[in-house]
Amino acid sequence: MSDIAKLQIGEKTYEFPLVKGTENETAIDIKALRGATDGVITIDPGYKNTGSCQSAITFLDGEKGILRYRGYSIEELAEKADFLEVAYLLIFGELPTKEQLDKFYADILDEAIVDDDIKKIIDAFPKNAHPMGVLSSLTSALTAFNPSSVNVDSEEDMYKAIVKIMGKFPVLVAWTLRKKQGLPLHYGSRKLGYVENILTMMFQKPNDEYELNPIMINALDKLLILHADHEQNCSTSTVRIVGSSHAGLFASLSAGISALWGPLHGGANQAVLEMLEAIKEDGGDTKKYMGKAKDKEDPFRLMGFGHRVYKNFDPRAKIIKKAADEVLGDLGVEDPILDVAKGLEREALEDQYFVDRKLYPNVDFYSGIIYRAMGIPVEMFTVMFALGRLPGWIAQWREMRLRKEPIGRPRQVYVGENLREFVEIDKR
Ligand code: SDX
């Protein structure tokens, strides 16, 4: 393949350089397009064919169902690493030595306390507030308590901001749940691991010791790893574009949480459980819901199916499906919803509509079944997704700033009224 692309507009032919990535992905560099063609631009709703950046963090191949963080396969990381190791890898680019990981976690623990005035903000929310709205607000509020914006050119400043949010975010997540349950807001302990602290802060009852269950710890650790990054998805692109205006890290993360909340994105894990519940209540009539999903007149979509990039099985879904069987078995949980999910998957994988459109189960299809078995309420499922995605958002924001990417400002094609004269109100 030559290293240029030719574009013919009218009588003129233009040449643009090709960019090739380390996994042989090829892009047309159109930086010079508008200037060279006297104003012609491209248009690509949803950016289905448009790359926003060059990134060294995550590689995925949607056709082959491949996902790697910094070159390591998701299968190996889910089996051999723990979440904090993966967070370090995503953010700093290399797997940490034991000393580096111990120091990273000690620095995170130093920051795993939030200003007590945050409790006043939490108290102002109604108990029925959706946790994603609460979490997005609390994350933005961290800016108020940590006003100095990150000097990304200072490694020390950047590191401080990273350990701050890695320490404080799990506290905000746990307190968001506790507030809904009317339980006191408390902290974990320096004696516990990162995931152990999350479970303790979420589930410890005020009048009892909390007994950590290794099955729950391993299940949550694996789920957080599987959600940790996914290149330029909707919420990560939001974090990048907000950060590209040089808004702070916490403000950018708050925007990412809001984008993740949508049911077409991270909110799908909650929507999957609600859909499976509805099918179960409806006598397990999966055929009826398959029909609704294919009916263009019906806005219903099969939640947890399809993906913008994966046109094969989402590798994360395969790992989570296996884990769901193991965790429910180990916890001794019988959940008929799992059987509904497996029946629906079988049906969809044989259905021509789904086969033709390459619609496979995605990361959200089975994750909620594990969260539910762990006793996490359904409206907290997307919050757990955000907890996993945090290091990925941080890594992508940091890369965007360190590469000094320009402010994100897309163009448009105007299709409104041409120039017209103003008409006085008494003449309209
Ligand atoms: C996540 O981008 C990421 O990486 C996201 C994520 C991450 O880790 O950050 O992987 C996490 O968001 C996973 C996706 C969770 N969302 C859902 O499960 C919601 C249900 N899925 C769909 O809404 C949909 O599949 C999307 C939003 C995920 C992808 O939509 P696209 O790429 O814009 O595809 P499309 O809407 O153009 O659909 C193509 C065709 C259409 O039919 P036709 O017009 O060609 O006849 O497939 C159909 C769609 O109607 N279709 C579905 C469907 N998904 C697509 N039909 C029924 N049920 C579905 N779920």
Coordinates of all heavy atoms in Angstrom, one line a residue, residues 48 230 233-234 263-266 268 293 296 301-308 311 316 353-354 357 359 362-364 385 389, ligand 1:
K48 N -17.9 7.0 13.5 CA -17.7 5.6 13.3 C -16.5 5.3 12.4 O -16.0 4.2 12.5 CB -19.0 5.0 12.5 CG -20.3 5.1 13.4 CD -21.4 4.3 12.8 CE -22.6 4.3 13.7 NZ -23.7 3.4 13.2
H230 N -10.9 1.2 27.5 CA -11.5 0.6 26.2 C -11.3 1.6 25.0 O -12.2 1.9 24.3 CB -12.9 0.2 26.4 CG -13.2 -1.0 25.5 ND1 -14.2 -1.0 24.5 CD2 -12.7 -2.2 25.5 CE1 -14.2 -2.2 24.0 NE2 -13.3 -3.0 24.6
N233 N -13.9 5.1 23.6 CA -15.3 5.0 23.8 C -15.9 6.3 24.2 O -15.2 7.3 24.4 CB -15.6 4.0 24.9 CG -15.0 4.4 26.2 OD1 -15.5 5.1 27.0 ND2 -13.7 3.9 26.4
C234 N -17.3 6.4 24.2 CA -18.0 7.7 24.4 C -17.5 8.4 25.7 O -17.2 9.6 25.6 CB -19.5 7.4 24.5 SG -20.5 8.8 24.8
P263 N -27.8 4.8 28.9 CA -28.1 3.3 28.7 C -27.5 2.7 27.4 O -27.4 1.5 27.3 CB -29.6 3.3 28.6 CG -30.1 4.6 28.3 CD -29.0 5.6 28.9
L264 N -27.1 3.5 26.5 CA -26.4 3.0 25.3 C -24.9 2.7 25.6 O -24.2 2.0 24.8 CB -26.5 3.9 24.1 CG -27.9 4.2 23.6 CD1 -27.8 5.0 22.3 CD2 -28.7 2.9 23.3
H265 N -24.4 3.2 26.7 CA -23.0 3.0 27.1 C -23.0 2.3 28.4 O -23.5 1.2 28.6 CB -22.4 4.4 27.1 CG -20.9 4.5 27.3 ND1 -20.1 3.4 27.1 CD2 -20.1 5.6 27.6 CE1 -18.8 3.8 27.3 NE2 -18.8 5.1 27.6
G266 N -22.4 2.8 29.5 CA -22.2 2.1 30.7 C -23.5 1.8 31.4 O -23.6 0.8 32.2
A268 N -25.9 0.5 30.3 CA -26.5 -0.7 29.8 C -26.5 -1.8 30.8 O -27.3 -2.7 30.8 CB -25.7 -1.1 28.5
A293 N -36.9 -6.4 19.7 CA -35.6 -5.9 19.4 C -35.4 -5.7 17.9 O -34.7 -4.8 17.4 CB -34.5 -6.8 20.0
K296 N -38.5 -2.4 13.9 CA -38.0 -1.0 13.7 C -39.0 0.0 14.3 O -38.6 1.1 14.6 CB -37.8 -0.7 12.2 CG -36.6 -1.5 11.6 CD -35.3 -1.2 12.3 CE -34.2 -2.2 11.8 NZ -33.1 -2.2 12.8
R301 N -34.3 -2.1 22.4 CA -33.1 -2.8 21.9 C -32.7 -3.9 22.9 O -33.0 -3.7 24.1 CB -31.9 -1.8 21.8 CG -32.1 -0.9 20.6 CD -30.8 -0.3 20.2 NE -30.8 0.1 18.8 CZ -29.7 0.6 18.2 NH1 -28.6 0.8 18.9 NH2 -29.7 0.9 16.9
L302 N -32.1 -4.9 22.4 CA -31.6 -6.0 23.3 C -30.4 -5.5 24.1 O -29.3 -5.4 23.5 CB -31.3 -7.2 22.5 CG -31.5 -8.5 23.2 CD1 -33.0 -8.7 23.6 CD2 -31.1 -9.7 22.3
M303 N -30.6 -5.0 25.3 CA -29.5 -4.4 26.1 C -28.4 -5.4 26.4 O -28.7 -6.6 26.6 CB -30.0 -3.8 27.4 CG -31.1 -2.8 27.1 SD -30.8 -1.6 25.8 CE -29.7 -0.4 26.7
G304 N -27.2 -5.0 26.3 CA -26.0 -5.9 26.5 C -25.6 -6.6 25.2 O -24.7 -7.4 25.2
F305 N -26.3 -6.2 24.1 CA -25.9 -6.8 22.8 C -25.5 -5.7 21.8 O -26.0 -4.6 21.9 CB -27.1 -7.6 22.2 CG -27.1 -9.0 22.5 CD1 -27.6 -9.4 23.8 CD2 -26.6 -10.0 21.7 CE1 -27.6 -10.8 24.1 CE2 -26.6 -11.3 22.0 CZ -27.1 -11.7 23.3
G306 N -24.6 -6.1 21.0 CA -24.1 -5.1 20.0 C -22.9 -4.3 20.5 O -22.8 -4.1 21.7
H307 N -22.2 -3.7 19.6 CA -21.0 -2.9 20.0 C -20.6 -2.1 18.8 O -20.6 -2.6 17.7 CB -19.9 -3.8 20.5 CG -18.9 -3.0 21.4 ND1 -17.9 -2.3 20.8 CD2 -18.8 -2.8 22.7 CE1 -17.2 -1.7 21.7 NE2 -17.7 -2.0 22.9
R308 N -20.1 -0.8 19.1 CA -19.6 0.0 18.0 C -18.4 -0.6 17.3 O -18.2 -0.5 16.1 CB -19.3 1.4 18.6 CG -18.6 2.3 17.6 CD -19.3 2.5 16.3 NE -20.6 3.1 16.5 CZ -20.8 4.4 16.8 NH1 -19.9 5.2 17.0 NH2 -22.1 4.8 17.0
K311 N -17.3 -6.6 16.4 CA -18.2 -7.3 15.4 C -18.0 -8.8 15.6 O -18.0 -9.6 14.6 CB -18.0 -6.8 14.0 CG -18.2 -5.3 13.9 CD -19.6 -4.8 14.4 CE -19.8 -3.3 14.5 NZ -20.9 -2.9 15.2
R316 N -14.3 -9.5 26.8 CA -14.6 -9.3 28.2 C -15.9 -10.1 28.6 O -16.0 -10.6 29.7 CB -14.8 -7.8 28.5 CG -13.6 -6.9 28.2 CD -13.9 -5.5 28.2 NE -14.9 -5.2 27.1 CZ -15.4 -3.9 26.9 NH1 -15.1 -2.9 27.7 NH2 -16.3 -3.7 26.0
Y353 N -31.2 -11.9 12.1 CA -31.1 -10.4 12.2 C -29.8 -10.1 13.0 O -29.0 -9.2 12.6 CB -32.3 -9.9 13.0 CG -32.3 -8.4 13.4 CD1 -32.9 -7.5 12.6 CD2 -31.6 -8.0 14.5 CE1 -32.9 -6.1 13.0 CE2 -31.6 -6.7 14.9 CZ -32.2 -5.7 14.1 OH -32.2 -4.4 14.5
F354 N -29.6 -10.8 14.1 CA -28.4 -10.5 14.9 C -27.1 -11.0 14.3 O -26.1 -10.3 14.3 CB -28.6 -11.2 16.3 CG -29.5 -10.4 17.2 CD1 -30.8 -10.3 17.0 CD2 -28.9 -9.7 18.3 CE1 -31.6 -9.5 17.8 CE2 -29.7 -8.9 19.2 CZ -31.1 -8.8 18.9
R357 N -26.1 -8.6 11.6 CA -25.6 -7.3 12.1 C -24.4 -7.5 13.0 O -23.9 -6.6 13.6 CB -26.7 -6.5 12.7 CG -27.7 -6.0 11.7 CD -29.0 -5.5 12.4 NE -30.0 -5.1 11.4 CZ -30.7 -5.9 10.6 NH1 -30.5 -7.2 10.7 NH2 -31.5 -5.4 9.7
L359 N -24.2 -8.8 16.0 CA -24.6 -8.4 17.3 C -24.3 -9.5 18.3 O -25.0 -10.5 18.3 CB -26.0 -8.0 17.4 CG -26.5 -6.9 16.4 CD1 -28.0 -6.6 16.5 CD2 -25.7 -5.6 16.6
N362 N -22.1 -8.0 24.9 CA -20.9 -7.2 25.2 C -20.6 -7.2 26.7 O -21.3 -8.0 27.4 CB -21.2 -5.7 24.7 CG -22.4 -5.1 25.3 OD1 -22.6 -5.2 26.5 ND2 -23.3 -4.6 24.5
V363 N -19.7 -6.4 27.1 CA -19.2 -6.4 28.5 C -20.4 -6.3 29.5 O -20.3 -6.8 30.6 CB -18.2 -5.3 28.7 CG1 -18.8 -3.9 28.6 CG2 -17.5 -5.4 30.1
D364 N -21.5 -5.6 29.1 CA -22.5 -5.3 30.1 C -23.5 -6.5 30.2 O -24.4 -6.4 31.1 CB -23.3 -4.0 29.6 CG -22.4 -2.8 29.7 OD1 -21.8 -2.6 30.8 OD2 -22.2 -2.1 28.7
F385 N -19.0 0.3 37.1 CA -18.3 0.4 35.9 C -17.4 1.6 35.9 O -16.2 1.5 35.5 CB -19.4 0.6 34.7 CG -18.9 0.5 33.3 CD1 -19.6 -0.1 32.3 CD2 -17.6 1.0 32.9 CE1 -19.2 -0.2 31.0 CE2 -17.2 0.9 31.6 CZ -18.0 0.3 30.7
R389 N -13.4 1.9 35.3 CA -12.9 2.8 34.2 C -12.0 3.9 34.6 O -11.3 4.5 33.8 CB -14.1 3.3 33.4 CG -13.8 4.0 32.1 CD -12.9 3.3 31.1 NE -13.3 2.0 30.8 CZ -14.1 1.6 29.8 NH1 -14.7 2.6 29.0 NH2 -14.4 0.4 29.5
Ligands
SDX1 C1 -20.4 -0.2 26.2 O1 -17.5 2.0 22.8 C2 -17.2 1.2 23.8 O2 -16.1 0.7 23.8 C3 -18.2 1.0 24.9 C4 -17.9 0.0 26.0 C5 -16.7 0.4 26.8 O3 -16.1 -0.5 27.4 O4 -16.5 1.7 27.0 O5 -17.6 -1.3 25.4 C6 -19.0 -0.2 26.9 O6 -21.0 0.9 26.1 C7 -20.9 -1.4 25.6 C8 -22.2 -1.2 24.9 C9 -23.4 -1.2 25.9 N1 -24.6 -0.8 25.2 C10 -25.7 -1.7 25.0 O7 -25.6 -2.9 25.3 C11 -26.9 -1.0 24.5 C12 -27.5 -1.9 23.3 N2 -26.6 -1.8 22.2 C13 -26.9 -0.8 21.2 O8 -27.6 0.3 21.5 C14 -25.8 -0.7 20.1 O9 -25.3 -1.9 19.8 C15 -24.6 0.2 20.5 C16 -25.0 1.5 20.9 C17 -23.7 -0.5 21.5 C18 -23.7 0.3 19.2 O10 -24.5 1.0 18.3 P1 -23.9 1.4 16.8 O11 -22.5 1.0 16.7 O12 -24.2 2.9 16.6 O13 -24.7 0.5 15.9 P2 -26.1 0.9 15.2 O14 -27.0 1.6 16.2 O15 -25.7 1.7 14.0 O16 -26.7 -0.5 14.9 C19 -26.4 -1.2 13.7 C20 -27.7 -2.1 13.4 C21 -29.0 -1.3 13.4 O17 -29.9 -2.0 12.6 P3 -30.1 -1.5 11.1 O18 -30.4 0.0 11.1 O19 -28.8 -1.8 10.4 O20 -31.2 -2.4 10.6 O21 -27.8 -3.0 14.5 C22 -29.0 -2.8 15.2 C23 -29.4 -1.4 14.8 O22 -30.8 -1.2 15.0 N3 -28.7 -2.9 16.6 C24 -29.5 -3.5 17.5 C25 -28.8 -3.5 18.7 N4 -27.6 -2.9 18.5 C26 -27.5 -2.6 17.2 N5 -30.7 -4.1 17.4 C27 -31.3 -4.6 18.5 N6 -30.6 -4.6 19.7 C28 -29.4 -4.1 19.8 N7 -28.8 -4.1 21.0

